[in-house]
């Protein structure tokens, strides 16, 4: 019999969001008249911006013509999309990138997982706690870790607790690590890091020959002009950081699928014999071998985000979600709930009232308010006692959900 990858058996629970989906479905079946409002998974609800939709349609029409038909594209993405992103999203930040440093993909979740292919297994990895579960679980799957302990921490991963005491920004590790995952604006806590805070990480990485995986999937939701949108705004970052971005939340592409990775030419690692080697070259090799590029209509739709019209319309959709975030944040505060985030990110991270565990609060909200959120403990042990609400719902649902929660907690 073929042998399985035993590493998968080390994973303690099913992936968080399907598990929540399962519980919500069971509740809905048992309570068919309940109007359940979902503010759990960060899934967008607004339709695509009209300019983006038009470009998508036009590109599908292209495929029906002999002249415009597009077959295999460049595996790393079309230059017209890469250049549009560089011009409109990075240049205004003072960041210059070459076309060869950006790779278009079918989404950031896959990128965050796939990047591990080009790093040796004996690298020491540091991740935040709480954290987007993909970082942790993919390291388990690939075989970098031992078993989990009773708290849920896996052997060989350095966990960096993020809590109120450190403003949800992890302290630098006390041991030498080789790979550091940072996500700002943060999923799940919705909190951000200043340039000074990120500089500490860049300096640490450069001093320790470490690589930062910087997940900037939520950068478009930043409202404070002083908060950095890209790790490359920090001096020295192009030597040590790989950045991930996503169209999912920014442009409503959770169902369309498009993301990007920036791997600067200067980010180097070493071979087992000690020679320097470029991660950019390895990522290109991996991409051209294992991927045939995001689809042509999807990339045309993504490029339309950077047109004048598309940019303005996309910004309006982001503002809509951030107004939802304000409604949730202020409503919870009025109900006496302590909460974080929601100013520069579409997530509100709240302290569960009455010392309930995260899952107890999940059950209370589901049963008593018919509102779905995400238990903080699902993002790691330090998330216990916290809960995440997403601002990606329809406005009327957000208002209704906040009203129900306020009434319930009075
Ligand atoms: C979340 O809710 O944390 C995200 O939607 C998950 C994801 O982006 O994969």
């Amino acid at each position: 019999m073929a042998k399985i990858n035993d590493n998968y058996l080390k994973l303690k629970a099913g992936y968080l969001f399907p598990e929540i989906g399962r519980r919500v479905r069971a509740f809905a079946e048992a309570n068919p008249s309940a109007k359940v409002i979902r503010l759990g998974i960060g899934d967008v609800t607004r339709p695509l911006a009209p300019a983006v939709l038009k470009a998508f349609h036009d590109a599908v029409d292209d495929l029906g013509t002999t002249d415009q038909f597009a077959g295999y594209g460049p595996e790393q993405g079309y230059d017209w999309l890469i250049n549009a992103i560089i011009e409109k999203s990075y240049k205004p930040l003072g960041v210059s990138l070459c076309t060869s440093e950006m790779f278009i993909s079918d989404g950031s979740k896959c990128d965050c997982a796939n990047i591990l292919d080009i790093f040796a297994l004996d690298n020491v990895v540091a991740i935040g706690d709480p954290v987007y579960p993909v970082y942790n679980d993919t390291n388990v799957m690939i075989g970098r870790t031992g078993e989990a302990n009773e708290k849920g921490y896996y052997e060989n991963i350095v966990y960096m607790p993020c809590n109120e005491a450190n403003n949800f920004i992890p302290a630098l590790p006390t041991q030498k690590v080789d790979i550091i995952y940072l996500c700002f604006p943060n999923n799940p806590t919705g909190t951000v890091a200043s340039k000074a805070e990120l500089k500490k990480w860049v300096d640490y990485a450069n001093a320790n020959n470490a690589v930062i995986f910087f997940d900037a999937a939520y950068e478009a939701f930043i409202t404070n002009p002083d908060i950095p949108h890209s790790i490359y705004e920090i001096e020295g970052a192009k030597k040590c950081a790989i950045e991930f971005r996503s169209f999912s939340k920014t442009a409503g592409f959770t169902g369309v699928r498009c993301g990007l990775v920036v791997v600067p030419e200067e980010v180097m690692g070493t071979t087992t014999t000690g020679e320097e080697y470029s991660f950019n070259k390895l990522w290109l090799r991996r991409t051209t071998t294992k991927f045939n590029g995001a689809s042509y209509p999807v990339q045309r739709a993504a490029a339309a985000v950077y047109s004048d019209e598309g940019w303005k319309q996309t910004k309006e959709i982001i503002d809509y979600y951030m107004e939802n975030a304000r409604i949730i944040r202020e409503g919870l505060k009025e109900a006496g709930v302590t909460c974080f985030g929601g100013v520069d990110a579409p997530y509100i991270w709240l302290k569960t009232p009455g010392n309930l565990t995260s899952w107890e609060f999940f059950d209370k909200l589901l049963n008593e308010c018919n509102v779905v959120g995400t238990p903080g403990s699902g993002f790691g042990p330090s998330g216990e006692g916290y809960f995440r609400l997403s601002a990606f719902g329809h406005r009327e649902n957000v208002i209704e959900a906040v009203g129900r929660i306020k009434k319930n907690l009075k």
Side-chain angles (χ1 to χ4, degrees):
M1 249 184 236
K3 290 188 185 135
I4 67 158
N5 177 353
D6 277 346
N7 295 310
Y8 279 61
L9 305 184
K10 296 175 190 161
L11 293 165
K12 282 300 158 223
Y15 189 63
L16 177 61
F17 295 107
E19 171 60 20
I20 291 172
R22 193 188 61 71
R23 291 188 187 213
V24 174
R25 271 192 306 279
F27 175 84
E29 270 163 33
N31 301 275
S33 62
K35 184 182 176 259
V36 176
I37 299 177
R38 291 174 170 78
L39 304 179
I41 189 166
D43 197 4
V44 292
T45 52
R46 304 305 296 158
L48 295 178
V52 172
L53 189 64
K54 177 169 186 324
F56 209 168
H57 276 297
D58 289 350
V60 172
D61 287 342
D62 284 350
L63 298 180
T65 69
T66 314
D67 290 350
Q68 301 298 324
F69 178 78
Y72 289 129
E75 290 89 346
Q76 63 272 45
Y78 286 99
D79 280 0
W80 38 258
L81 174 56
I82 293 177
N83 290 330
I85 299 169
I86 292 175
E87 285 298 312
K88 195 96 180 192
S89 249
Y90 282 95
K91 264 214 182 130
L93 304 175
V95 175
S96 60
L97 295 172
C98 304
T99 320
S100 59
E101 293 179 309
M102 189 173 290
F103 299 78
I104 305 299
S105 71
D106 57 356
S108 199
K109 186 191 210 177
C110 324
D111 288 335
C112 291
N114 292 336
I115 197 77
L116 295 178
D117 269 13
I118 61 169
F119 286 81
L121 273 188
D122 56 0
N123 282 303
V124 178
V125 164
I127 66 174
D129 167 30
V131 76
Y132 179 39
V134 172
Y135 312 156
N136 185 77
D137 291 4
T138 54
N139 275 285
V140 177
M141 289 169 168
I142 206 167
R144 179 163 287 114
T145 74
E147 298 290 339
N149 66 18
E150 66 293 341
K151 280 186 90 175
Y153 289 137
Y154 287 85
E155 199 186 352
N156 299 339
I157 290 189
V158 175
Y159 290 93
M160 308 181 292
C162 302
N163 45 45
E164 280 172 77
N166 58 20
N167 279 325
F168 301 97
I169 298 172
L172 294 175
T174 47
Q175 71 183 94
K176 184 186 166 342
V177 300
D178 306 301
I179 297 172
I180 302 145
Y181 287 82
L182 294 179
C183 172
F184 289 110
N186 187 256
N187 180 14
T189 66
T191 55
V192 285
S194 67
K195 285 188 181 162
E197 279 145 351
L198 290 184
K199 178 83 172 88
K200 286 187 212 155
W201 283 97
V202 168
D203 289 348
Y204 173 93
N206 281 325
N208 290 280
N209 294 321
V211 173
I212 295 173
F213 291 169
F214 191 75
D215 185 346
Y218 298 92
E219 60 79 28
F221 296 86
I222 293 173
T223 58
N224 179 338
D226 296 329
I227 296 297
H229 286 245
S230 164
I231 189 79
Y232 305 119
E233 290 179 66
I234 313 302
E235 199 194 329
K238 277 181 83 181
K239 280 204 173 86
C240 64
I242 291 176
E243 179 161 295
F244 303 87
R245 285 195 179 193
S246 168
F247 287 84
S248 287
K249 318 298 157 92
T250 309
F253 274 38
T254 51
V256 175
R257 308 307 306 151
C258 194
L260 66 100
V261 194
V262 178
V263 189
E265 308 272 6
E266 293 156 69
V267 184
M268 305 297 278
T270 54
T271 64
T272 38
T273 47
E275 292 97 50
E276 285 203 343
Y277 203 88
S278 144
F279 281 113
N280 177 287
K281 278 206 181 80
L282 288 183
W283 187 244
L284 178 65
R285 187 69 173 87
R286 191 225 175 256
T287 302
T288 50
T289 305
K290 293 198 178 182
F291 188 52
N292 263 331
S295 85
Y296 167 77
V298 164
Q299 291 193 66
R300 280 285 182 212
V305 171
Y306 301 91
S307 66
D308 290 345
E309 250 191 321
W311 192 254
K312 187 170 154 283
Q313 293 163 354
T314 301
K315 177 84 182 73
E316 283 163 8
I317 297 170
I318 290 170
D319 290 347
Y320 175 98
Y321 291 133
M322 291 313 288
E323 173 62 8
N324 284 351
R326 188 193 63 75
I327 293 168
I328 298 172
R329 211 180 58 236
E330 290 182 1
L332 290 173
K333 281 191 178 153
E334 279 165 31
V337 177
T338 306
C339 45
F340 308 89
V343 176
D344 294 300
Y347 295 126
I348 290 88
W349 186 243
L350 59 104
K351 250 184 143 153
T352 57
N355 285 327
L356 294 179
T357 66
S358 300
W359 278 108
E360 281 168 355
F361 190 63
F362 172 90
D363 286 336
K364 178 179 166 65
L365 271 200
L366 182 58
N367 288 303
E368 297 171 15
C369 303
N370 305 154
V371 172
V372 181
T374 309
S377 56
F379 297 102
S382 295
E384 183 55 276
Y386 289 90
F387 198 77
R388 193 192 76 176
L389 289 174
S390 148
F392 287 119
H394 295 289
R395 176 70 44 79
E396 61 277 18
N397 284 346
V398 165
I399 292 171
E400 168 80 22
V402 170
R404 289 185 199 169
I405 296 172
K406 276 169 75 174
K407 201 164 152 204
N408 183 276
L409 295 181
K410 257 195 194 140

